[in-house]
Amino acid sequence: MNRRLWHLITGLLTPAWLLLTLIAVLIHRFIPVAPWLMVHLLFLGAVSTAILVWSQHFADTLLRHPAPGGRVSLGARLGAHTLGAVLVITGIVGGWWPVVLAGGILVGTNALAHALLLFRQSRGALPGRFAPLVRYYIAAGIALAIGVTLGVLMARTDIDGESAERMYIAHIGFNLLGWVGLTVISTVALLWPTVLHARVQTTRASARGTLPLFLAGLAVLGIGLLIDQRLVAAAGVLLYLVSLGLVLVEAVRLARQSPAVTFAGWSIGAALTWFFACVLGFGLIVTFAPSWVAATDRLGQLVPVFAVGFAAQILLGALSYLVPVVLGGGPSVSKATAALLDRGALFRVIVVNVGLVLYLMPVPSLVKVTVSLLVVGTLASFLVLMPRALRQNRRLRQATDATAPPAPRIAAAPSRRTGATITAVGALLLAVSLGIAMDPAAAGIASGGASADRVSTGHTTTVDVVMKNTRFSPDTIEVPVGDTLVINLTNDDEMVHNLVLATGVVSGSVAPGTSRQVDAGIVGADVEGWCSIAGHKVLGMVLTVVAVGAEPQSGDDSPAMDHGSAPAGGASSAADDLDLMREPDADFVARDPALGAAEAETVHTLTMRVEDVETEVSPGVTQTLWTFNGTAPGPTLHGKVGDVFDITFVNDGSIEHSIDFHAGALAPDRPMRSINPGESLTYRFTATRSGIWLYHCGTMPMSVHMANGMFGAVIIDPPGLSAVDREYVLVQSELYLGAQGGEADADKVAAQFPDLVVFNGIANQYGARPLTAKAGEKVRIWVLDAGPNVGSSFHVVGGQFDTVFKEGDYLLRDGGSTGTGGSQVLDLAVAQGGFVELTFPEAGSYPFVSHIMSDAEKGARGVVLVSP
């Protein structure tokens, strides 16, 4: 196999991993453990493959001594790493720890073998100015082996608490700062001046003492995490940062002498900047986070920045420069290939880096979505340019014309740079505008303000208001009548808030730790304000503007109206459109209540994603529910005692949410914490006790979050559970209707006055689409009362229960001690559950209801249709 073909084949592995990463990004809503998967496809797949290939290539160049085993050895290492990475990713996605273990052992052992072969290669080489750079690759391989070991241990389900948090931080440190960071530092020491066409006689990275300082930083970081000393760990990051700063100072000096003019130069330069910023952020988080739990959470948010800002850009920049060099074909062919890979260079770099900065700013969540899609699409353009460059290179090399094609200029003319900059800025503005257009209120765009009939004094009153502990402070503002009121809002709470005034002024969402100025217009009378995020007003987030000197007003003339959490100006309730006798449309499909058998696997891996979904809850009545995986109730989880549930909780909603599984016993501090839109967390618990358990959102006001759809069931089969012919699940809950298409009415929730009481989220759905059974069959019906306020008394009209299981034990089993005992209802308080078993004696329609009859008349009823 010739040199060019070898490099072509091995070089295609990295783009293949990049393509898989792109696919995972595009479909991440539909795959389990999506955040973990996207990061590891990039780092364990694309980046690590590139490191194995290029570290060996640079070692061969620097040492001028053949590697043991040559291409065969490198091919074996690439194969072993690829197989190991596939096993790790498959094992995590499938929840199979032995597969993860096998893959981790293969990846770690292969990394040590890579380091050992480089060490042997360097021992036989002649001394050289830059030969010490190979030692970075050796150290990086050892760091990967440590990082992979930590990762495999983290995948075990019996490691939890602070040990798991410290292990996660060490995993990030050794993999990102060690394996990736040390390799990049060594490679860029020579690649950077080569890309810039700058002369270099020596490098700081190869100087005596630089690598030991990096290694000392990693070692101190590891020791600090091992002995549970955060300041020691922070000192380790500081040592690493100091040595990185020394190396980057030299890189900056070279860039000033010979500025970058190509995509490779700009991309690598931007990547190094993000690398320094990420290491600095790593150190600040470890130093100042209030706990290991908080540090882990914040580092989890830093990893995507490291992935896009540093890893993706350094990888694409290096490939853009190295691919034409490796393919060869002569200077003119290489330059033509490089020019194709350089298409839209400045546009791509600006969009990626400015887009990433925008993403990190406290902008509305939909703006983050549109900007991130633009950034991902821009990065993905490399996957289009690279195959075109390969084809062009092959075509030019095969040309029979002896005259080489003219070499295009790589540097863009000033006018073209200006055009690229304007285009990039325009694309970013379009993405931001699209995000704002989809959610104008979150950006503070709303009508209202000064009224034409108010006499202005020409004076402005400015007031600072702090939002904390779900309160406005101060909660009363006195303003002279006729003054223009400007409110400086600061959110010192841990959740998103906003301010809505009865005049129609809307602040838009104010993220934690940020501020926003609100022009309330001319004050002519007392005005009420509130936080319109569902339930916050009920919790006391009310602000009163008192117009000092205003004439007293009465009745509806005053703008100080109580609009609750409805839009300014009020809105009618969807309850006005209720018709509980109305039949659903012919194409209506009820939620499938059937419960399948518990899976044989002992580890259940699932992504639980919050989504705002408009749902028809009764014929002709819709509400925008906050759902788990698109439905309310959320998916029913089913397992056995001893099973482990590994949940990735992702908030793709519009406000802060959390999740609480009653089926697991563990400290709630980290897994049950509230997270903002766009964030995720891992929730792992072991089912140690049987029964039907509630899970729900625990963010305050919890009643409103649950009333708006955030609940579901976990069924853990009791040992020795008898076989039945049919098994169903019914989750009872209440709906407190807001406006058509709107969210729950928080005032109704607080008053505990539901408009609907339903089974599985929709009123009377099983009256129109009955459950089915056959006469003589044994049927088990699991029932859970999710509430949030109303209990249940489950009854099947015409049926008698011979078995009743409630809250973990049998109240009646197979007729009880007499053999003839029966039960007529399963009574449940809110958050309780159980099951009943019965046999239908003959064919017919058997209604089932909550025997709290007014609730049955509000929709908590259905039918079991029994055939002969």
Side-chain angles (χ1 to χ4, degrees), residues 234-517:
V237 181
L238 178 61
L239 285 174
Y240 188 100
L241 190 66
V242 168
S243 50
L244 178 61
L246 294 174
V247 172
L248 293 184
V249 165
E250 183 178 71
V252 172
R253 178 178 56 80
L254 288 172
R256 294 181 64 182
Q257 293 175 359
S258 182
V261 293
T262 64
F263 174 77
W266 290 324
S267 186
I268 293 172
L272 295 177
T273 303
W274 282 110
F275 185 35
F276 185 85
C278 287
V279 176
L280 177 61
F282 189 110
L284 292 175
I285 288 171
V286 171
T287 304
F288 296 108
S291 65
W292 288 120
V293 170
T296 299
D297 182 41
R298 295 171 187 176
L299 283 177
Q301 300 172 34
L302 185 65
V303 169
V305 180
F306 193 102
V308 175
F310 171 59
Q313 290 201 99
I314 200 78
L315 184 60
L316 298 185
L319 286 174
S320 295
Y321 179 80
L322 293 171
V323 166
V325 173
V326 171
L327 293 176
S332 59
V333 173
S334 294
K335 288 181 180 179
T337 305
L340 202 155
L341 289 172
D342 216 54
R343 291 277 181 87
L346 190 57
F347 171 86
R348 291 151 62 195
V349 171
I350 291 174
V351 166
V352 170
N353 290 280
V354 178
L356 186 55
V357 171
L358 286 172
Y359 183 86
L360 295 174
M361 293 174 66
V363 297
S365 59
L366 284 177
V367 173
K368 290 180 181 287
V369 170
T370 54
V371 169
S372 61
L373 288 174
L374 177 61
V375 170
V376 169
T378 303
L379 290 171
S381 65
F382 178 82
L383 296 177
V384 177
L385 293 174
M386 184 171 177
R388 293 180 60 190
L390 295 176
R391 289 195 300 270
Q392 175 171 285
N393 182 274
R394 184 176 65 252
R395 185 175 63 255
L396 292 176
R397 283 188 291 102
Q398 292 174 349
T400 56
D401 192 349
T403 304
R409 287 182 58 84
I410 300 298
S415 60
R416 294 181 61 187
R417 290 189 183 182
T418 302
T421 302
I422 294 174
T423 305
V425 172
L428 289 164
L429 287 175
L430 181 62
V432 171
S433 301
L434 181 61
I436 291 174
M438 290 189 290
D439 189 7
I445 299 174
S447 60
S451 176
D453 60 357
R454 298 172 188 169
V455 179
S456 173
T457 62
H459 182 262
T460 298
T461 297
T462 302
V463 181
D464 295 328
V465 174
V466 176
M467 299 182 286
K468 188 173 179 63
N469 298 324
T470 327
R471 292 288 188 278
F472 291 106
S473 180
D475 58 6
T476 301
I477 300 171
E478 293 188 350
V479 184
V481 66
D483 275 17
T484 296
L485 173 62
V486 174
I487 303 173
N488 293 323
L489 277 178
T490 300
N491 188 356
D492 282 347
D493 219 336
E494 296 181 352
M495 63 183 75
V496 175
H497 291 301
N498 64 23
L499 173 63
V500 173
L501 297 178
T503 54
V505 173
V506 182
S507 70
S509 298
V510 185
T514 64
S515 299
R516 180 164 295 183
Q517 190 174 82

Side-chain angles (χ1 to χ4, degrees), residues 176-214:
L176 300 189
L177 306 189
W179 169 239
V180 180
L182 292 179
T183 302
V184 168
I185 290 164
S186 175
T187 303
V188 168
L190 290 182
L191 182 63
W192 178 242
T194 305
V195 170
L196 297 179
H197 301 289
R199 286 186 166 227
V200 57
Q201 298 297 322
T202 185
T203 66
R204 178 73 197 188
S206 62
R208 186 184 299 274
T210 305
L211 177 59
L213 191 58
F214 278 113

Side-chain angles (χ1 to χ4, degrees), residues 711-735:
F711 56 86
V714 180
I715 295 177
I716 306 300
D717 289 341
L721 187 64
S722 60
V724 292
D725 297 298
R726 298 177 191 261
E727 199 164 7
Y728 294 111
V729 183
L730 299 175
V731 180
Q732 180 178 310
S733 62
E734 307 118 47
L735 287 157

Side-chain angles (χ1 to χ4, degrees), residues 813-839:
R813 190 170 191 179
D814 294 330
S817 59
T818 65
T820 60
S823 176
Q824 54 201 308
V825 297
L826 171 60
D827 62 314
L828 300 171
V830 174
Q832 287 190 321
F835 68 76
V836 295
E837 294 177 0
L838 73 164
T839 300

